[in-house]
Amino acid sequence: MEKFFGSAAVAGHHPDWKAAIPRDRGSSWDFEDVRDHYVRMIFGVDPHLIRRDDAELYLDYGRAAIVEAFTEAFGHWRRASSGCAGASC
């Protein structure tokens, strides 16, 4: 963050930040919106309020939400009844 933006405080606010967020063409949301949805769902906090008050904590919640989502997905794929044989399908 510091290398590219100077501080975490610009997370979500700097035009270069938002330009780097992937999105599906034609959709009104981007993947930051999806991550924020999971932050809200998993941790029961409002990511926008956290971003305003504590940018570092906001980024930590976002990273933790991604870890939780991947943990759940891999657990689902690796369950005994999965036809994926792990994540190799």
Side-chain angles (χ1 to χ4, degrees):
M1 294 298 303
E2 286 74 24
K3 179 179 177 182
F4 294 104
F5 298 105
S7 78
V10 300
H13 302 290
H14 194 282
D16 290 342
W17 171 275
K18 207 61 172 167
I21 303 295
R23 70 177 327 112
D24 285 337
R25 210 179 324 222
S27 69
S28 62
W29 51 268
D30 60 29
F31 287 96
E32 183 172 51
D33 298 327
V34 173
R35 189 202 57 228
D36 287 351
H37 164 79
Y38 281 105
V39 167
R40 185 177 290 108
M41 190 177 84
I42 294 167
F43 302 110
V45 298
D46 184 336
H48 301 109
L49 292 177
I50 293 171
R51 180 175 64 194
R52 184 190 70 198
D53 297 335
D54 188 340
E56 291 287 349
L57 182 60
Y58 168 76
L59 294 171
D60 287 343
Y61 268 117
R63 292 177 191 113
I66 292 167
V67 169
E68 288 294 320
F70 272 87
T71 299
E72 287 296 316
F74 276 94
H76 180 75
W77 294 334
R78 291 180 176 161
R79 73 189 191 291
S81 62
S82 172
C84 287
S88 62
C89 57

